[in-house]
């Protein structure tokens, strides 16, 4: 999963493909959502911080540390919601919780972008990135499943 995040991130640094600008997915949000389904762990958090700082450096206008913070917030939200609601890994929760985490991550990104810009940022580019992120999540979700599952009490077993 971490290798996929690096590949998608490095490929996303190319601004245009065949003369077209693409809405590139946020692979770190996918990793945060997927890794969070297994609960809170130190190694995924360290990787998400590193990915976040790499995103901060690659995005010229982003304040340093904002993507690391967003990645950790999405990870924590995913871990918390999975522990609270998905004690048996039901199919509904396996769809609703990740989608909710991705929506929340992009909403927080929009709010922070608007605050640092001093005015409301256009939502269409962020929504297009959200759509591409959801599409990539659907295709790659099993790569980010750490295999740990909450038991009946919501405690990691």
């Amino acid at each position: 999963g971490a290798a996929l995040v690096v590949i998608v991130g490095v490929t996303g640094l190319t601004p245009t493909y065949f003369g077209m600008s693409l809405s590139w997915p946020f692979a770190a949000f996918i990793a945060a959502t997927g890794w969070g389904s297994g609960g809170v762990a130190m190694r995924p958090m360290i990787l998400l911080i590193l990915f976040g700082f790499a995103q901060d450096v690659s995005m010229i206008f982003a304040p340093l540390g904002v993507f690391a913070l967003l990645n950790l917030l999405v990870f924590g939200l995913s871990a918390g919601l999975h522990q609270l609601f998905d004690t048996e890994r039901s199919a509904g929760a396996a769809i609703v919780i990740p989608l909710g985490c991705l929506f929340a991550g992009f909403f927080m990104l929009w709010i922070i972008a608007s605050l640092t810009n001093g005015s409301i940022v256009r939502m269409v580019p962020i929504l297009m990135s959200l759509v591409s992120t959801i599409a990539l999540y659907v295709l790659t979700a099993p790569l980010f499943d750490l295999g740990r599952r909450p038991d009946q009490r919501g405690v990691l077993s």
Side-chain angles (χ1 to χ4, degrees):
L4 180 69
V5 174
V6 171
I7 291 169
V8 169
V10 168
T11 308
L13 293 176
T14 306
T16 60
Y17 294 94
F18 307 110
M20 293 176 17
S21 166
L22 300 176
S23 295
W24 206 250
F26 283 68
F29 281 179
I30 295 170
T33 301
W35 290 336
S37 68
V40 177
M42 207 57 188
R43 276 182 266 164
M45 289 193 310
I46 291 170
L47 282 173
L48 290 170
I49 290 170
L50 293 174
F51 294 150
F53 282 126
Q55 285 176 288
D56 290 333
V57 170
S58 68
M59 305 271 186
I60 298 169
F61 301 110
L64 191 60
V66 73
F67 280 104
L69 174 68
L70 286 171
N71 291 343
L72 289 178
L73 287 173
V74 172
F75 177 74
L77 180 65
S78 177
L81 290 176
H82 275 92
Q83 185 174 4
L84 187 63
F85 294 112
D86 195 20
T87 56
E88 297 186 24
R89 290 275 176 119
S90 64
I95 294 169
V96 173
I97 292 173
L99 287 178
C101 292
L102 291 174
F103 273 102
F106 277 93
F107 183 70
M108 289 184 284
L109 173 67
W110 176 73
I111 287 178
I112 290 175
S114 295
L115 289 173
T116 58
N117 191 32
S119 64
I120 305 259
V121 174
R122 287 186 23 208
M123 198 149 211
V124 173
I126 293 175
L127 288 176
M128 294 308 293
S129 291
L130 172 64
V131 169
S132 64
T133 302
I134 290 172
L136 185 62
Y137 178 81
V138 168
L139 296 173
T140 62
L143 294 175
F144 297 100
D145 189 1
L146 297 178
R148 296 178 296 163
R149 300 176 190 269
D151 67 4
Q152 305 301 359
R153 297 165 292 155
V155 179
L156 291 176
S157 53

